[in-house]
Amino acid sequence: MAQVGESKIEGLSRFLFKAPSWPRSLVIIFILGMVLDIASIIRNNDIHLFGFFGFFIPAFLAFILTKPLVEIFGKKITWNRSALLALACTVFSIIISLFPVLLVFEGIFPLLFSISLGFIFAIRLIVLVAIADYKMSHMIIPAFTQSFFAIIPGIFYFDIMFAFSALLIHLLFGIGVILFLWLIERPLKKNFHISALNFINAFIAHNTDGSKSLEDFFHEIGEDVYVPQVTLFFKREDKKDILFTVPNLHPGPMGEIGGGNLPRILHESLGGETIVAHGCATHDFNLISENEIPKVVSAIEKTKDTIVYSSTAGRSERYKYGSVQVLAQPFGDALLLISTRYPEMTEDVDYPIGLSIMSEGHKRFNHIAFVDAHNCMVEVASPVMPASLTAYEYMKVCDLAGKESFNKKQENFEAGVSHIKVPFTREEGFGDIGIQVLVTRTNGNTTAYVLFDGNNMLNGVRKVLRDKILELVDECELMTTDSHVVNTLSGKNPVGYKIPADKILPYVLSSVKEAISDLSPASCGATTAWCEGIAVFGSHRISQLASSVNAMLTFIAPLGLAILLLAFVFSIIGYFILV
């Protein structure tokens, strides 16, 4: 799951919504214009058809021209968004133009209408640089279309001086927008040397068009890390090999960006039936790009010549210390540790904790495959950090499991595997891999390791599924890959959140039964590959980025309001000077 800072960045998605179809927006604009004209006739107003020529026609022309003008610079905006922007600006223009001050001061309508045009120019400019092209010089003309075509009827209904006053007001609002955008860009520019508007462009492009341009920003803030990756290789006669690998890298930050689909890419790259569990890594260890994943694959491939296979394994045993429990099983000189805090919150475990557990375990085993099962989600929470009570519990229970497992008798064992694709989507909490099950049997003891390609598991789902699985095996644990392809728009989308456990259960039981029927004599060898120079976000970078973004968001509203009020005041002063 996401760190607090990361979840706040994902929380920007609350500002995203699907624009209504463009015909609907245009119909609403037309209705607004007609209502104004009917009201004008009823009140015997001297200005006729202003709703049509002053509001509808400018909005319609802006809708038509905005998309091609934006695309001149290679950027994108849909017809639906163009129409919605025209509708929103029409509403703003009407509200300002018909402000109740008209009831007090006669003949002030031209002033209010000209101010409204300056205001909608500012709004269109801010919106277009945010959603289409952060370069303001590219967006001035598309932003000016609606107010430009409203100035023309303004000249006809009023006089030529209206054009001069309107252009002056546009200039004042334009200066206000430049000042506003410069100020909100300062935090990210100062701390990360990146453009906030460009970041927003890329964020929206990713969530709407699948663009990976966000990775350009991650290159700017990234740093190289050197992390171990333990892989268990199960070899069986006349059957497919099984790989159980534990990367200490984080499959995030979201969607296909960075390492969001790390489990699937490793699964497809390593051959056999590869099971990619979740190791010790927070969002600090998000890959800056999926192009870093081949380095991981290469590191693992280079270790294959050093594999020493053993045909023996110990029985699996569960150990508990404090809130943490571990399911441990030795395979020759390797130890597999699956950790969980169920029913307490299971969250990302920081890398130094995992490294400490592995280092301590090396006193007895050559290879320690430590897995964060990531199988109990209550709310989006902070990761487990070094020196905390929870970290201490993780290390103590793993040390206990290592000591006990080292003294266990090992015997010949069998291994079986299954892989089932499920009819559930990413939006429903399931990644591309589906469900994988590794089953081992040693001296009559059968253990099932069930892996869901998803980001954590809703609290309570593990118990429902595990209770039924234990009718088929002696011991089991449920894990998730922590894949963030299911988190395009939210930090909260665990397995079981949108698809209830009873609908998932048939696929889980089918997969376990298939793995049991696949059991055959096996041998296991393990390697610890050092993945070198993997470019990731870097220590605390994601929280620093989140802090800067949230600082920016905190003062956007009051700053914007202050600048708009200032522009209003100067607009009124400028209008009266000219008139």
Side-chain angles (χ1 to χ4, degrees):
M1 295 299 296
Q3 297 183 51
V4 172
E6 175 65 14
S7 67
K8 288 181 179 178
I9 288 182
E10 287 177 343
L12 291 174
S13 62
R14 69 183 183 274
F15 299 113
L16 299 178
F17 56 89
K18 185 177 180 180
S21 63
W22 62 265
R24 181 181 301 178
S25 297
L26 291 184
V27 168
I28 295 174
I29 296 172
F30 181 77
I31 292 173
L32 289 173
M34 291 302 99
V35 168
L36 290 177
D37 286 338
I38 292 171
S40 177
I41 293 172
I42 293 174
R43 291 176 56 87
N44 294 318
N45 198 302
D46 294 335
I47 301 178
H48 300 296
L49 297 180
F50 195 84
F52 181 77
F53 291 107
F55 294 106
F56 173 72
I57 292 298
F60 178 76
L61 293 175
F63 157 69
I64 293 294
L65 293 175
T66 298
K67 181 175 169 60
L69 287 173
V70 167
E71 292 179 350
I72 287 176
F73 300 101
K75 302 300 181 178
K76 292 182 179 180
I77 184 172
T78 65
W79 290 114
N80 290 344
R81 293 180 197 168
S82 179
L84 180 61
L85 179 58
L87 170 59
C89 288
T90 300
V91 172
F92 283 129
S93 183
I94 291 173
I95 291 173
I96 296 172
S97 299
L98 301 181
F99 199 69
V101 72
L102 282 169
L103 301 176
V104 180
F105 300 100
E106 292 185 4
I108 204 173
F109 178 73
L111 169 60
L112 295 179
F113 183 61
S114 60
I115 291 176
S116 78
L117 299 186
F119 181 83
I120 66 173
F121 167 68
I123 294 299
R124 287 178 61 86
L125 185 56
I126 291 172
V127 170
L128 289 174
V129 297
I131 70 172
D133 189 340
Y134 73 99
K135 294 180 179 179
M136 195 181 308
S137 60
H138 293 174
M139 292 296 103
I140 287 177
I141 293 177
F144 187 49
T145 51
Q146 189 164 348
S147 50
F148 170 76
F149 289 111
I151 290 175
I152 296 173
I155 296 173
F156 176 79
Y157 280 100
F158 308 120
D159 54 44
I160 190 64
M161 290 304 298
F162 175 84
F164 291 107
S165 63
L167 291 174
L168 174 62
I169 290 171
H170 275 70
L171 178 63
L172 293 172
F173 272 95
I175 294 172
V177 169
I178 293 172
L179 177 61
F180 173 72
L181 295 179
W182 181 81
L183 288 172
I184 66 171
E185 289 243 81
R186 289 291 294 163
L188 290 185
K189 282 278 189 182
K190 183 177 180 180
N191 295 328
F192 300 99
H193 308 291
I194 60 177
S195 165
L197 291 170
N198 198 5
F199 180 85
I200 294 171
N201 286 174
F203 181 84
I204 292 175
H206 166 66
N207 284 284
T208 57
D209 305 319
S211 168
K212 291 193 175 183
S213 55
L214 266 177
E215 292 182 352
D216 295 338
F217 294 94
F218 302 152
H219 279 282
E220 294 291 329
I221 66 174
E223 62 183 38
D224 291 350
V225 295
Y226 299 75
V227 294
Q229 179 153 334
V230 178
T231 305
L232 304 180
F233 298 84
F234 294 90
K235 184 168 63 176
R236 303 178 298 165
E237 190 173 341
D238 299 327
K239 287 193 175 183
K240 70 170 68 173
D241 292 339
I242 307 168
L243 280 71
F244 190 105
T245 189
V246 189
N248 290 296
L249 297 165
H250 195 271
M254 58 188 177
E256 297 276 358
I257 294 296
N261 215 355
L262 172 69
R264 180 184 64 80
I265 297 174
L266 286 180
H267 168 78
E268 294 177 350
S269 301
L270 291 174
E273 185 58 51
T274 300
I275 297 173
V276 184
H278 179 42
C280 283
T282 66
H283 278 266
D284 287 342
F285 280 21
N286 282 331
L287 303 181
I288 63 169
S289 167
E290 69 176 36
N291 295 330
E292 298 296 310
I293 299 177
K295 298 179 185 178
V296 178
V297 175
S298 176
I300 296 172
E301 293 288 346
K302 289 178 181 177
T303 66
K304 286 187 175 181
D305 294 338
T306 66
I307 299 175
V308 178
Y309 284 94
S310 171
S311 60
T312 63
R315 293 166 60 96
S316 65
E317 293 286 348
R318 188 172 293 273
Y319 303 90
K320 185 173 183 180
Y321 188 95
S323 66
V324 181
Q325 51 183 303
V326 165
L327 180 61
Q329 185 169 15
F331 296 93
D333 65 348
L335 178 63
L336 176 61
L337 298 169
I338 314 291
S339 67
T340 181
R341 296 185 68 231
Y342 186 90
E344 299 293 328
M345 180 75 177
T346 299
E347 193 44 87
D348 289 337
V349 179
D350 201 24
Y351 171 69
I353 300 171
L355 188 62
S356 176
I357 290 170
M358 295 169 68
S359 298
E360 189 68 21
H362 286 158
K363 294 178 180 178
R364 303 172 184 87
F365 293 91
N366 290 333
H367 308 283
I368 304 294
F370 176 74
V371 177
D372 169 16
H374 215 63
N375 60 10
C376 182
M377 190 266 182
V378 181
E379 292 294 340
V380 178
S382 298
V384 179
M385 301 303 291
S388 65
L389 173 60
T390 305
Y392 176 75
E393 293 172 343
Y394 270 102
M395 290 186 288
K396 290 294 288 185
V397 72
C398 289
D399 185 46
L400 173 63
K403 290 177 182 177
E404 294 290 332
S405 298
F406 182 71
N407 295 321
K408 283 191 178 297
K409 180 181 179 181
Q410 295 196 25
E411 303 180 55
N412 291 338
F413 75 100
E414 298 174 286
V417 71
S418 69
H419 180 193
I420 289 183
K421 296 291 184 71
V422 294
F424 309 125
T425 65
R426 293 179 175 184
E427 291 72 21
E428 293 170 324
F430 286 81
D432 305 334
I433 300 175
I435 301 173
Q436 294 172 285
V437 177
L438 168 66
V439 171
T440 63
R441 180 176 289 161
T442 306
N443 191 22
N445 176 262
T446 305
T447 304
Y449 301 98
V450 183
L451 179 70
F452 295 83
D453 190 20
N455 185 353
N456 220 314
M457 187 173 291
L458 188 67
N459 187 22
V461 173
R462 173 186 179 271
K463 174 174 172 54
V464 173
L465 301 180
R466 186 169 180 271
D467 286 349
K468 289 294 183 181
I469 296 172
L470 287 175
E471 296 177 4
L472 304 174
V473 297
D474 300 298
E475 183 59 274
C476 80
E477 191 55 82
L478 281 68
M479 304 168 283
T480 63
T481 62
D482 196 22
S483 171
H484 276 53
V485 295
V486 302
N487 293 114
T488 302
L489 292 180
S490 171
K492 182 178 180 179
N493 192 19
V495 173
Y497 185 57
K498 295 182 179 177
I499 304 297
D502 59 340
K503 290 188 177 181
I504 302 171
L505 184 59
Y507 299 98
V508 175
L509 295 180
S510 176
S511 190
V512 172
K513 291 174 182 177
E514 183 179 319
I516 292 173
S517 65
D518 187 56
L519 281 167
S520 61
S523 58
C524 179
T527 66
T528 300
W530 276 92
C531 305
E532 301 180 351
I534 308 297
V536 300
F537 279 21
S539 298
H540 307 298
R541 284 291 194 174
I542 193 65
S543 58
Q544 292 169 4
L545 180 60
S547 297
S548 297
V549 170
N550 286 300
M552 179 182 72
L553 292 175
T554 299
F555 65 74
I556 276 182
L559 178 63
L561 180 61
I563 290 176
L564 284 176
L565 288 175
L566 192 62
F568 268 109
V569 171
F570 281 117
S571 296
I572 294 171
I573 294 172
Y575 178 84
F576 282 114
I577 290 175
L578 284 177
V579 175

